[in-house]
Amino acid sequence: MKALGMALVAVGLAFAPLAQAQDVHVVSVVLKDGRIEPAVLEVPAGRRIKILVSNEGATPIEFESLPLKFEKVLAPGAKSSVVINPLKPGEYAFFDEFHPQATGKIVAK
């Protein structure tokens, strides 16, 4: 009986990462030489968000959001990600600090 209980716990632990991964909404953004594509990221409110960030430009970028309190510096050609806790409905600005004209927003609905 004890072995069965331990086996059930092991199976539950094995599937826990899958359940957590399904709770994360993934979006992608590309920064390149002072441009952000797409400039508007629509995401569901109330879910964790993972933003896949790619710098396809020839210079470094700093993907940053003041209201969401994150920043990520990427060398040319580098890729990374930012995970954001569930958002309330609304708009949240982000930008490339190294290219101030490059701005965008996350729209949580």
Side-chain angles (χ1 to χ4, degrees), residues 18-99:
L18 292 175
Q20 290 174 350
Q22 292 174 352
D23 291 342
V24 177
H25 181 81
V26 180
V27 293
S28 298
V29 65
V30 174
L31 288 85
K32 182 176 182 179
D33 303 322
R35 293 187 322 272
I36 299 175
E37 303 256 342
V40 177
L41 301 174
E42 291 190 12
V43 300
R47 286 185 60 194
R48 288 183 61 183
I49 310 299
K50 182 174 186 176
I51 303 173
L52 304 176
V53 184
S54 178
N55 180 3
E56 295 183 1
T59 60
I61 59 107
E62 183 173 352
F63 183 62
E64 183 170 353
S65 174
L66 298 176
L68 298 175
K69 299 179 180 154
F70 70 74
E71 58 185 305
K72 180 74 73 167
V73 176
L74 293 160
K79 295 180 181 183
S80 189
S81 63
V82 176
V83 177
I84 302 168
N85 286 325
L87 298 173
K88 293 180 181 179
E91 296 184 359
Y92 304 86
F94 63 83
F95 59 98
D96 176 357
E97 187 166 348
F98 297 159
H99 302 91

